[in-house]
Amino acid sequence: MADNAKLQVAGKDVEFPVRSGTIGPDVVDIRKLYAQTGAFTYDPGFTSTASCDSALTYIDGDEGVLLHRGYPIGQLAEESSFMEVAYLLLNGELPSGEELGNFTTTISRHTMLHEQLATFYRGFRRDAHPMAIMCGVVGALSAFYHDSTDITDPTQRTIASHRLIAKMPTIAAMAYKYSVGQPFQYPDNSLSYTGNFLKMTFGVPAEPYEVNPVVEKALDRIFILHADHEQNASTSTVRLAGSSGANPFACMAAGIACLWGPAHGGANEAALNMLREIGTPERIPEYIARAKNKDDPFRLMGFGHRVYKNYDPRATVMQKTVREVFESLGVNDPVFETALRLEELALSDDYFIEKKLFPNVDFYSGVILSAIGFPTTMFTALFALARTVGWVAQWNEMISDPEQKIGRPRQLYTGPAQRDYVPVGQR
Ligand code: CMC
């Protein structure tokens, strides 16, 4: 146990316990700060604030390490499957063969959507962004699955978790089908989780659909790489929404809304759009100069990370996967060459070196997803599909935590002090 932290606030000396986790930085437990001193801490963006205890995911941003329940992301991405990682995140240990089989079967039994939900899609414009549809439809699940919204019942929580993980591919694939005017495809439970998603997305009733095993593996790996990332913005949103006792479907809809932003899940869409706009390696210096220019709001999308101040370990796997997919599909898209060259030039530039800006997971994921055939607007929907596992696991962890409280940050008020109302005619 580390020594207590000592602080002097408004002439008062106070001490706070310092807690140590298994690995990673200690935390100063300042829960009694306000009661003892009348002062709050101030930390916009939570750059120095731990909001909870969690045994799910560990990141060492300086070393470029990401562990799920202790297992390095590289090993999981290379050797396991998304279903295995989902089981691991939800249950704490890797499954035995039998446990994995049972879990996969359970998930596959929940892949269909209530038939009436299809009518929801028809209320959207055809050009609706898939994330707009995902927010709406996932939130609407609470109106269809009442029997799994009692968060005080652990069995209902488990069923809701399974439903969310199982139905997300169906919901995302239907959002895509709606945008291209093709009929919705029902799930095929003889396929893997990822193979089924590919079929629901790209299959049509007019002809048989063959799942390409290289594409299936690559997409499964992308799902693994996006499954969880500790207390990121969307996960914190899910936890905050859940802390009020909201049902899990509503909480996931909140997470999806947060993920949509270009600084978070929307970055893969933005990164590919940027690479296409750059077009050829010759134009890269122009964009690097823009990214460095303080007067230009432009940023290199897919670069930099709040936590990683080293190479994002997920980007390493992603870069390798691009090659495999391109070779298997015979794709010859100059966007990959542009991405590689941009990475090379940025990593040798003092601005990026000094600020420790490295490619993140989104730098290459868009390149792969585009080669597979997904339009850019679907990228964030795929991220949401995969991150649902993390959101659900973190939400469950929070609900089971006896110390859980409603999330309620404080503020530094900078508005007017109290003043008297003046009737409109006298203003
Ligand atoms: N291009 C150019 N400069 C950058 C970039 C970038 N992509 N990212 C950060 N910087 C600069 C920034 O201008 C600032 O400079 P200064 O100190 O001179 O003001 C410095 O680096 C620190 O940036 P920050 O915005 O304070 O850092 P942050 O930790 O708040 O932001 C970030 C992290 C991911 C929002 C940011 O790096 C960014 O906007 N990147 C592009 C968007 C992106 O790729 N997001 C995906 C994140 S990974 C997916 C996920 O986990 O959700």
Side-chain angles (χ1 to χ4, degrees), residues 20 97 130 147 161 226 312 320 331 340 352 354 409:
S20 303
D147 59 345
S161 305
H226 286 91
D312 179 342
K320 184 170 161 258
V331 175
L340 286 174
F352 291 87
E354 274 161 25

Side-chain angles (χ1 to χ4, degrees), residues 26-298:
D26 290 345
V27 299
V28 181
D29 181 347
I30 50 101
R31 276 178 292 182
K32 296 213 167 80
L33 176 71
Y34 179 57
Q36 291 181 1
T37 68
F40 298 141
T41 56
Y42 180 71
D43 186 17
F46 308 115
T47 50
S48 297
T49 298
S51 60
C52 59
D53 288 23
S54 182
L56 281 152
T57 294
Y58 172 75
I59 302 174
D60 182 336
D62 294 325
E63 295 299 322
V65 169
L66 167 59
L67 311 176
H68 290 319
R69 303 280 192 186
Y71 296 101
I73 190 66
Q75 290 179 21
L76 293 172
E78 292 288 344
E79 293 169 49
S80 78
S81 67
F82 183 62
M83 278 295 95
E84 250 186 288
V85 173
Y87 184 98
L88 173 69
L89 285 168
L90 288 171
N91 299 293
E93 294 297 334
L94 284 169
S96 66
E98 191 187 350
E99 285 165 337
L100 180 61
N102 290 341
F103 179 71
T104 308
T105 305
T106 304
I107 295 296
S108 72
R109 294 280 152 77
H110 287 291
T111 49
M112 286 202 299
L113 277 190
H114 191 292
E115 196 63 18
Q116 215 179 323
L117 268 165
T119 54
F120 265 67
Y121 284 77
R122 301 201 168 93
F124 284 97
R125 281 170 55 132
R126 287 277 172 192
D127 60 357
H129 195 287
M131 287 297 276
I133 299 182
M134 301 278 287
C135 287
V137 175
V138 173
L141 293 178
S142 19
F144 287 84
Y145 300 101
H146 298 285
D147 59 345
S148 55
T149 51
D150 178 359
I151 62 158
T152 60
D153 177 351
T155 307
Q156 290 203 29
R157 292 206 299 268
T158 302
I159 296 171
S161 305
H162 292 161
R163 279 182 168 149
L164 277 157
I165 294 167
K167 292 184 198 307
M168 208 55 100
T170 317
I171 293 169
M174 284 169 73
Y176 172 72
K177 284 300 191 198
Y178 187 71
S179 71
V180 292
Q182 290 180 2
F184 297 143
Q185 301 295 292
Y186 286 115
D188 177 348
N189 291 345
S190 68
L191 298 173
S192 71
Y193 183 88
T194 304
N196 176 40
F197 173 63
L198 282 166
K199 185 177 175 198
M200 287 190 291
T201 306
F202 297 118
V204 289
E207 50 191 64
Y209 179 80
E210 285 281 323
V211 178
N212 175 329
V214 175
V215 170
E216 183 183 17
K217 177 82 202 141
L219 192 58
D220 200 73
R221 199 178 273 165
I222 290 177
F223 289 164
I224 293 173
L225 296 177
H226 286 91
D228 191 48
H229 213 224
E230 52 121 304
Q231 309 311 321
N232 57 85
S234 58
T235 301
S236 297
T237 302
V238 168
R239 279 186 178 255
L240 196 56
S243 76
S244 73
N247 75 69
F249 305 107
C251 295
M252 299 306 134
I256 292 169
C258 178
L259 186 74
W260 195 355
H264 192 6
N268 53 11
E269 183 176 343
L272 186 73
N273 288 341
M274 177 195 74
L275 290 170
R276 293 230 184 277
E277 191 185 305
I278 296 175
T280 58
E282 296 78 63
R283 295 190 61 204
I284 292 172
E286 181 195 322
Y287 282 80
I288 290 193
R290 280 189 64 194
K292 288 160 59 174
N293 182 355
K294 279 258 158 270
D295 301 324
D296 189 334
F298 174 78

